Structure formats: structure tokens, C-alpha cells
Amino acid sequence: MAEQLRAWFDALSYKFEKDEINNENYFEWIINVINPVGKKRYNRVLVRGITKEAGMPDVAALRQSVNARKTDVGWLITNRRVSPGHEDWVLSVAFSPDGQRIVSGSDDETIRIWDATTGDCLRVISYKLCAGLNITGVIGLTSAQRVALKLMGAIDN
């Protein structure tokens, strides 16, 4: 995974800083990425790659490393699931300003709020506006309305 990722970053013309960590559990690099606004400055991005299933301790370790190495942001790269709570790919992860909570968004159409210390899921928010709404047997709906409600999470048996 590390070799493929490095080749991809090279192809994008990202610059690698000399300080790298490579061990059996993870690799860690700092890359300089051109600011997307087009200014002539670089953002320092800490990239940490792991080959095992990532969990909350890995996210917390990434945050500690970002703070210790004074980078602008951190990317956790894994070829496995980030959380046993989500049922599909995790697309984004962010810490609360006080560092006590982690928020993750997934292709499973949920946002989850986690306790950063324990890794416990505190709340699940569904993207679907009508999640769990049972419209079975409801009369007066057109077929288009029924399809739209089902796409928003309604149940029609």
C-alpha cells in the first residue's frame, strides 16, 4: 500500500519531507500540498497509513501526531474499515474543537458521533429524512410520491 500511495503522490507532484516513519504497524509521511486556492504556499499534510482495521485509537494517535509534528491536517489511510459502527466506507472524520468527540460520515448514509476517549458511539444521525416511516397501506399517494418517499428512507412492504 505504501509504495502505491507514494507513487500516486509523486504523480501529483506532492513534495515529501525527509522525516518519515516506517515500521511494521504503520507508515507516516509529511507531504507538502499546493494550496487549492492557488496561493504560493504549501499545506503540510501528515499521512499515516495502516494495513489493519483502523479504530478510534488510530484516529486519536493521528491527531496526537498532527499536533506533535505541527502539520495543518492529517490523513489516515487504510485498506480496511475505519469503524465497526458504519456499514459502508467512511468518507470523512473530524474532531470537535475540544478534542472530546469525533464525527464520522459514511456511504451508509449516517453520521456518527463518537467519544474520542472510549470509542463509544454516542449518536447516529441518518441522512434519510423519512428513515423508518412506514407507508405500507397509505392511500392517496401517487406512484411518484411513493417512490420519492422510499428513496428518502420510507418503508413500503
Side-chain angles (χ1 to χ4, degrees):
M1 178 172 71
E3 295 81 21
Q4 292 169 330
L5 194 58
R6 182 177 279 278
W8 185 67
F9 287 153
D10 281 336
L12 293 171
S13 300
Y14 293 168
K15 305 296 181 209
F16 288 82
E17 294 186 7
K18 292 181 181 181
D19 182 28
E20 297 182 5
I21 298 171
N22 291 296
N23 66 39
E24 63 187 50
N25 297 320
Y26 68 94
F27 62 87
E28 193 170 277
W29 310 317
I30 296 176
I31 57 173
N32 295 307
V33 180
I34 297 173
N35 188 331
V37 180
K39 296 180 182 178
K40 294 190 177 201
R41 75 175 195 89
Y42 289 90
N43 290 329
R44 294 180 73 233
V45 178
L46 183 123
V47 178
R48 177 179 279 216
I50 59 176
T51 55
K52 64 179 182 65
E53 183 172 307
M56 288 303 150
D58 298 299
V59 175
L62 176 67
R63 181 181 173 94
Q64 288 175 342
S65 198
V66 164
N67 291 338
R69 298 179 80 182
K70 297 180 173 60
T71 61
D72 298 314
V73 68
W75 296 344
L76 181 63
I77 310 292
T78 180
N79 55 2
R80 306 225 180 162
R81 289 176 58 169
V82 172
S83 159
H86 284 293
E87 297 174 6
D88 208 336
W89 290 98
V90 173
L91 304 173
S92 60
V93 177
F95 274 87
S96 63
D98 64 3
Q100 299 299 308
R101 303 284 181 261
I102 299 170
V103 179
S104 58
S106 169
D107 257 352
D108 68 4
E109 300 181 342
T110 64
I111 298 169
R112 293 179 184 262
I113 302 173
W114 308 87
D115 183 298
T117 305
T118 65
D120 294 337
C121 182
L122 304 174
R123 185 166 181 203
V124 178
I125 302 167
S126 176
Y127 294 6
K128 299 226 177 197
L129 298 174
C130 298
L133 176 66
N134 191 341
I135 60 171
T136 305
V138 173
I139 57 172
L141 293 175
T142 67
S143 60
Q145 290 170 327
R146 192 171 295 279
V147 168
L149 287 168
K150 287 170 60 178
L151 287 172
M152 292 188 290
I155 301 165
D156 187 15
N157 294 327

